[in-house]
Amino acid sequence: MRYKFAGRDFVQVIQARFNALPTRSRVWRGRGADEKSLRCRAGCNARETLNHVSQSCFRTHRVRTARHDKILDFICERLDVVGVKYVREKPISFPGKKLIPDLI
Ligand SMILES: [Zn+2]
């Protein structure tokens, strides 16, 4: 599968791959910034790093979840094509918890 990116998108993909997106931690690196100026621009009281933005920031939660669901849809489609039976997102009771795996 080949992907075609516009020039700007390609640059952003390369920046993300090499941890070079202009987050506050990256931009202020070596400039003696205080903790307040390194805080996330979304206001979530965490240091704005690529890890925070791409893994835990509430501002990007919707797109992270959408990406996860899209990948899950793709896997389910492929399993249907090859005839594999599966159960999707069935809750499993566990002592003290309720687990919801993606696929079984
Ligand atoms: Zn944040």
Side-chain angles (χ1 to χ4, degrees):
M1 182 180 293
R2 299 188 79 182
Y3 296 100
K4 292 184 179 181
F5 293 109
R8 179 182 173 88
D9 294 338
F10 180 77
V11 169
Q12 288 181 334
V13 167
I14 297 299
Q15 285 178 329
R17 176 69 180 88
F18 294 102
N19 195 17
L21 285 172
T23 59
R24 283 190 168 172
S25 292
R26 173 133 181 112
V27 170
W28 281 91
R29 185 175 177 194
R31 297 184 184 184
D34 58 344
E35 274 300 312
K36 187 178 177 187
S37 60
L38 297 176
R39 294 280 174 228
C40 178
R41 283 174 265 194
C44 41
N45 203 25
R47 184 180 278 208
E48 188 180 286
T49 61
L50 181 58
N51 182 50
H52 168 73
V53 171
S54 64
Q55 299 290 321
S56 61
C57 186
F58 75 89
R59 186 181 271 181
T60 58
H61 179 265
R62 186 179 54 80
V63 291
R64 282 195 316 268
T65 304
R67 181 178 184 269
H68 172 273
D69 292 345
K70 193 172 180 180
I71 292 171
L72 190 59
D73 290 342
F74 174 77
I75 292 171
C76 288
E77 285 175 19
R78 296 301 302 163
L79 291 175
D80 287 338
V81 168
V82 296
V84 174
K85 292 185 177 182
Y86 61 87
V87 178
R88 184 173 175 169
E89 298 179 356
K90 181 181 179 184
I92 299 173
S93 295
F94 199 73
K97 298 181 189 177
K98 185 176 178 185
L99 305 175
I100 305 175
D102 292 330
L103 286 177
I104 298 175

